Amino acid sequence: MEYALSFSLNGKPVQVAVKANSSLLDVLRNQLFVTSPKKSCDTGDCGACAVLIDGEAVNSCITLALTVEGKKVTTVEGLGEGNQIHPLQQAFHEHYAAQCGFCTPGVILVAKALLDKNPKPTREEVTQAISGNLCRCTGYVKIIDAIMAVAEANK
Amino acid sequence: MGVVVGKRIPRYDGLQHVTGRTQFVDDVSYPNMLWVKAYRSPVVKGEILNVDVSQAEKTPGVAAVLTAKDVPANQYGFSNDQPVLAEKGVRFKGEAIVAVAAVDEDTAQEAVEKIRVDFKEETPVFDPIEAMKPDTPRVRPEGNLWMFGEVPYRRIRLGDVEKGFKEADVIVEEVYRTQNQDHAQLEGQVSVARLEANGVITINSVSQCPFLHQLQLAGILKVPLNRLKFIGGTVGGGFGSKNDMHADHITSLLALKTGKPVKWRWTREEEFLASTVQGAWIMEYKDGVKKDGRIVARKIRAIRDAGAYGSLNPYVVDKHCFLVCGPYAIPNVWIDGYCVFTNKQVSSSMRGFGITPASFSNEVQMDKIAEAVGKDPWEIRFINAVRDGDITATRKTLESVALIETMKEAAKAAGIQLPDHLMAMSSEKKEV
Amino acid sequence: MKKRGKGIASIFYPTGMSGGGDPSNALIKMKLDGTIDLMVGSIDIGQGCKTVLAQLAAEELGLAMEQVTVINDNTDSCPMDTGTFASRVTHSMGNAVVMAARELRQEILELAAADLKTSPVNLTIENGEVKIKQSPDKKISLADLAGKATFGMGKILAGRGGYVKAPTAKDEETGACNPFATAAYATTIAEVEVDTETGQVEVLQLISVYDVGKAINPMLCEGQIDGGSVMGLGMALMENLNPYYPGIDFQPTSFADYMIPVSKDTGKIIAKIIERPSTTSLYGTKGIGEMTANSEAPAIVNAVYNAIGVRITDLPITPEKIIRGLEEK
Ligand code: FES
Ligand code: FES
């Protein structure tokens, strides 16, 4: 049995028929072909699938798709203006915050949610904010450097 | 030197990564693509008496059920001893026996749950020390120890270790152990295979070594290399987890069987329970040391818990033995390195291969030696450090040695003032 | 009570497969406008080989990074590489890429020499142009050369490179052999704080100095050390696939019970590189990809001993082992 679901995805309205037990992650990836949120654990433990729901970072693998009815969902595909990438994306690129890149979209969205609320966080606040995102490549060092670079620019 | 070399240039594919546009294997899908789930052994060790897939086959939405019978050459791997799908028996809990391809993951899983396998359970062996004893049940018919030539251990012999112990003022002994570890790379095992009209199979693969896997898969399928095209090159973390073929053989076989594109994505639970891992080690050290801090003899028995199949284990043991003495010049060395099979998931490559445990045991032992002869941990390392032209335990001559330089630089970075006589040392020449 | 301690560890690590016999092949072809395609079978697992190999090709051919296209995505188009493991790609494939670039460079110089009526030895390539060293205004662009070669002569401008560390002979009785091309070296200093009541160990700082031979891209080298440091910390304090080893009971099945370090667990990570070039690499490179995760666990164990006098000999360090060790003292 499938249910009609409509929500805003990266600023555009979408309608899709989903199963009651489908996760938002599966609907995004398998039905809408938005593949930047990654499936790494599928149990809410790694943050690779993080998306923004009304500006809050949420692990989409443990979010039932039907719960986003009428809400605004953002993935990294929706960041930046036109051809201009978002300052966080630019900073991640320049500071070598992405190695394999598998955790990257999720971390960038979590960082965005933080900076939208707190544009000038301390290093400790950044460290705290991304502590739900696993990264096996970078040791988090350059990820935090990149986010701090954007935060500094806000100061 | 260098216009571009030596520069802090951002990643070639960095913009793709930060925009989420890098295409990983799991991001690939095709119309009419089938999804795979595997029936994995619930028992640790046993003979397979009967495999009944009849109910699975009848499940609506199931396209194909794959068992050992469908595999042209059901033996592969770096030690060429692993079945693609277990046929006669299983050696570890989670070993794959049947694979099902269906219209979606839920349907495939539903079919897997209808598979019935009868086992004659046997006593498993978990402890490598137990496994080494002659009357312990066998993990594999060839015996529980890998043969290195004529003997069941890798030998390294340099100088005369007993003479060295006699010359020594102090003997320092300890047993070190390291644990089984998972790579925990964020992108798990996943594969997509598609059969082209001309009979070529294109495989979207997470392989770290596609040319080696192409050879292995050609052997399994009994086809020439030009029937297999591996696509990949950009992988979501490896750390050694993707040197063993975990999924590409199954998806390829199912693509051949069904004619449709096939995707298999392992769950994180499968990753932890059934993929290759870093095997545990036991390392028994006996060192002979002079009062002045020089290590004059070292004897080590090292034991690698290889798990259920060979894979890269013998290579890992070799690598361990070649370098277990660490970056120190020791004139008399005796090493026996064992590769021991147990009924665990397969150990294989992980970042650092056999040297990670060696670095651990070696460096903790250095501090223990320092204490035994009343020296500072820095001093003991400087005294014994390899220099240009020194040889390793395998008589390999070293060039461009930089151990002393890294120590001096690290002390500087930590604001530690090392004594002048240590700061005066270098890898280039030895003091007279 | 909380007690602090420092510990060190010094290590080395071989570059390339132990035993040798692990080839890397590379091909470079020039496009019609003088930009190049670099074809290599090396896999980028995050370590950044696409970047480093492109840098080497660009350097040799006087091109900018943007002028190099890396093709490493399939086994049909790319020549063979043994694989991305054994810390081998920067060294082994790096050598192959430099060789391929030099072969192509020689071809370019010969064509240009004919065009500029001089000898190849008088020429240099800079910013996409071949110039006479003494009179740099006499020049021809790579785009013009590629066009002339293709349309005028029906010629492909290309270079091939191949490197292999010769397989070693091994004496079975003594293990005597020459198993690897070169080795890299490193030292890590760990600073920890141990809570003697709870047995909890906190890593305050990891300072690591790695000898990379030659840093083709220092930022990428640091990235390896950063990531390796944290993986090594995980090995020291957290990760264990068989908590009841040698049994397999209670084996973790998710990231909730197989804990790897998160951003809050790492302490301060300091990564420094030094360069003592290897004689086995055309640019002096070595490989540090794997060893960066090897120096931390022993340094942390030694720091714990320095703090509380308990020497841990089996990993990982758990609060239980710390408390037990303190009680036995
Ligand atoms: S995939 Fe959702 S948290 Fe890991
Ligand atoms: S960059 Fe690989 S997991 Fe974070």
Side-chain angles (χ1 to χ4, degrees), chain A residues 38-42 44-47 49 59 61:
Chain A
K38 301 299 173 205
K39 187 180 275 196
S40 176
C41 69
D42 213 16
D45 297 312
C46 78
C49 64
N59 286 337
C61 69

Side-chain angles (χ1 to χ4, degrees), chain B residues 12 23 60 74 107 109 113 131 153 162 190 206 218 232 264 268 290 303 333 335 354 363 376 386 395 400 419 423 426:
Chain B
Y12 178 86
Q23 191 182 54
N74 194 19
T107 309
Q109 186 57 41
E113 278 155 25
Y153 46 89
E162 292 309 326
V190 50
V206 295
W264 189 15
R268 189 53 63 175
K290 301 284 274 185
I303 296 159
V333 177
I335 294 158
E363 285 306 298
D376 176 78
V386 285
R395 298 168 170 81
S400 68
M423 287 307 283
S426 90

Side-chain angles (χ1 to χ4, degrees), chain B residues 18 42 60-61 86 126 143 164 212 248 297 310 325 335 350 370:
Chain B
V18 299
F126 293 123
L212 302 187
D248 292 338
C325 282
I335 294 158
M350 179 167 167

Side-chain angles (χ1 to χ4, degrees), chain B residues 91-102:
Chain B
R91 294 188 195 172
F92 69 95
K93 192 170 170 176
E95 191 167 356
I97 302 172
V98 185
V100 175

Side-chain angles (χ1 to χ4, degrees), chain A residues 30-152:
Chain A
N30 300 343
Q31 293 184 249
L32 299 168
F33 303 103
V34 173
T35 55
S36 72
K38 301 299 173 205
K39 187 180 275 196
S40 176
C41 69
D42 213 16
T43 50
D45 297 312
C46 78
C49 64
V51 301
L52 301 182
I53 301 178
D54 290 344
E56 295 284 339
V58 174
N59 286 337
S60 64
C61 69
I62 50 166
T63 303
L64 286 175
L66 286 172
T67 63
V68 301
E69 175 69 36
K71 298 194 174 166
K72 284 202 195 87
V73 175
T74 308
T75 66
V76 291
E77 284 90 344
L79 296 192
E81 311 271 333
N83 281 334
Q84 202 63 39
I85 58 174
H86 189 275
L88 271 168
Q89 292 174 306
Q90 190 63 38
F92 268 60
H93 178 53
E94 282 166 13
H95 289 263
Y96 192 44
Q99 289 191 23
C100 80
F102 209 76
C103 70
T104 309
V107 189
I108 286 177
L109 291 169
V110 169
K112 180 171 190 300
L114 169 72
L115 294 185
D116 285 349
K117 273 195 219 109
N118 176 5
K120 298 167 191 174
T122 62
R123 208 169 164 97
E124 288 65 42
E125 287 170 327
V126 170
T127 304
Q128 179 68 35
I130 62 159
S131 64
N133 293 81
L134 297 182
C135 174
R136 194 60 154 168
C137 302
T138 64
Y140 310 101
V141 178
K142 292 191 190 313
I143 291 179
I144 299 171
D145 288 348
I147 301 170
M148 284 310 290
V150 179
E152 294 297 334

